[in-house]
Amino acid sequence: MHRRFAAAAGALVLLALGATDAAAVQRPVELEFSGSARLRAETLSAAYRAGHDGSDQFLSSRVLLRGKARTARFALVGEFIDARGYWQDDGSVIASSEYNAADIFQLYAEARLTDQLAVRIGRFTMPLGSGRLSDASSFSNAPANFEGVRVQLDPDRDWRVTGFFTSPVRRAPSGRQALMDNRAAMDAADWNTRFYGLHLARENLPLRWRAETYVFVLEEEGGVRLVTPGARLQRPPQAGALDVDLEWMIQTGHTIAGATRLDVSATSAQGVVGYTFARANPVRLAAHVSYASGDRPGSSGWNRFDPLFGGRGSDYGHTSLFGPLSRENLASYGARVEWTSGPVRARLLAHDVYLASRTDIWARGRLRDATGNSGRHVGRVIDARVSWDVLPDRATIEWGAAILNKGRFAREAPNAPSTGDSAYSYLMVTTRF
């Protein structure tokens, strides 16, 4: 597979050079360099995950260095990442998404074959649509990246078609001690796992509506094949107007549970309705509901929705040490307030959180009550953040805090830690150059 991929990359370069007209070839190559550095300190007062107790803390650093060389129809992009973590102890929650010491984060060639058609091949991030199934999280210290090919067709200013065939990049090393020591190792794509699909977007519908439809496929060696079609209807936020974001996803195919192959039948939905008040310092109020099916007792198939490579931050708030919510076995509702005043932005989220299936697992807490006797109420989450662009486009300071007010399930499920409510806070400084 690696040889076929290398051959495809070489073919793209040759195709791009052939598609570049003589005048473009004679132009000088434009070079661009940019980067960022950030430092974030986090604390968590009490654990909510099974197998953990007490408080937790984490200090993370990340440096990104990006270079781009381009002509009229061809670009070569490379990005270096150095993401590290400190302050962990034996009881810390160690997530590989927070570590990636001294590695290649993106490296791809992009050719604009015509004014409407562009092809990208190599290693890259892949936010798609709302990001709920494929995203490049800005809060994560080391967002998800992929290797493969991505094709984008813009037949006119209102339509965009995106097709891709990729494999996720697996971070290395993966062992707990190696992560705690910030050891460097080269990441590699796992070609035993394939992620591919098609995404169609239509802009400028009447009354400012836009629409998306898509189908994504995740295949893994060993028998897993998840097919996820979905549709989204959105009216983006605008001062003095109502905004709406409705997305529905279904999931079919088959998965492996133990040694048994099971047919998949799962679904997820997200609904957001908001209004932005037209004033000097805009304020947006919104209500939201979220649902992702869980595995049902007595079902002959598999019913828990898999969020694939989706992001959590925009809908559910902070991740890293905190992050109790994910798009699996979830039913929640709540509200948000967003406020902007010059270089200052603030956001407040509130969720009341339940399990969609009381006998299935709470994924982020790693807790399950197969009898269902612990109920389904996970708890209430309040999540806030404030960011200040101290130097526009150059330096930002951000502070955030959140609390999980534990419900009956989070307190009484088997193996639930005997701790109080979980309070989280962080301070982050980011510089860009």
Side-chain angles (χ1 to χ4, degrees), residues 240-254:
L242 192 72
D243 60 84
V244 180
D245 187 355
L246 305 173
E247 188 163 10
W248 180 57
M249 299 154 269
I250 61 175
Q251 203 162 67
T252 62
H254 41 262

Side-chain angles (χ1 to χ4, degrees), residues 222-238:
V224 173
R225 188 174 192 267
L226 300 178
V227 181
T228 310
R232 183 186 186 206
L233 187 63
Q234 182 192 28
R235 194 167 187 248
Q238 178 175 294

Side-chain angles (χ1 to χ4, degrees), residues 115-381:
D115 291 341
Q116 292 79 35
L117 179 63
V119 181
R120 176 181 297 183
I121 191 166
R123 178 180 293 185
F124 45 81
T125 60
M126 198 165 53
L128 292 167
S130 66
R132 292 177 180 126
L133 293 176
S134 182
D135 198 19
S137 169
S138 61
F139 197 77
S140 171
N141 218 33
N145 53 348
F146 303 82
E147 285 185 7
V149 60
R150 172 174 172 158
V151 179
Q152 182 174 301
L153 175 65
D154 298 300
D156 59 43
R157 68 185 185 91
D158 293 335
W159 290 92
R160 171 164 291 179
V161 183
T162 304
F164 62 95
F165 186 91
T166 65
S167 173
V169 174
R170 302 300 186 192
R171 299 180 187 92
S174 58
R176 180 183 178 89
Q177 191 58 52
L179 292 175
M180 293 180 68
D181 292 343
N182 288 300
R183 296 177 193 167
M186 294 301 294
D187 297 346
D190 176 13
W191 284 102
N192 291 321
T193 301
R194 295 168 295 280
F195 182 47
Y196 57 92
L198 192 68
H199 182 277
L200 173 65
R202 173 67 160 89
E203 305 282 350
N204 299 315
L205 291 169
L207 301 177
R208 297 192 305 107
W209 288 96
R210 68 184 304 274
E212 302 173 25
T213 186
Y214 52 81
V215 59
F216 301 151
V217 181
L218 177 66
E219 290 181 345
E220 298 177 3
E221 295 294 332
V224 173
R225 188 174 192 267
L226 300 178
V227 181
T228 310
R232 183 186 186 206
L233 187 63
Q234 182 192 28
R235 194 167 187 248
Q238 178 175 294
L242 192 72
D243 60 84
V244 180
D245 187 355
L246 305 173
E247 188 163 10
W248 180 57
M249 299 154 269
I250 61 175
Q251 203 162 67
T252 62
H254 41 262
T255 191
I256 303 297
T260 306
R261 173 171 153 156
L262 299 175
D263 290 335
V264 173
S265 177
T267 187
S268 179
Q270 183 77 25
V272 182
V273 178
Y275 184 86
T276 303
F277 293 88
R279 42 176 288 173
N281 301 321
V283 175
R284 177 174 177 263
L285 302 179
H288 56 257
V289 294
S290 186
Y291 175 81
S293 59
D295 200 34
R296 297 189 298 269
S299 172
S300 60
W302 184 260
N303 314 116
R304 187 191 309 152
F305 188 82
D306 188 318
L308 305 181
F309 302 98
R312 297 183 288 140
S314 59
D315 287 328
Y316 302 136
H318 300 116
T319 53
S320 193
L321 278 188
F322 192 58
L325 307 184
S326 63
R327 199 172 304 282
E328 44 194 329
N329 193 28
L330 173 75
S332 73
Y333 66 92
R336 68 172 61 203
V337 181
E338 297 170 324
W339 172 76
T340 303
S341 178
V344 178
R345 298 174 300 281
R347 185 187 75 177
L348 177 66
L349 301 177
H351 304 265
D352 199 11
V353 185
Y354 298 81
L355 300 178
S357 170
R358 68 175 64 210
T359 58
D360 197 12
I361 193 170
W362 171 29
R364 303 307 302 178
R366 304 169 190 166
L367 295 172
R368 181 176 187 173
D369 185 347
T371 68
N373 292 334
S374 300
R376 66 173 73 234
H377 190 214
V378 174
R380 298 176 181 87
V381 176

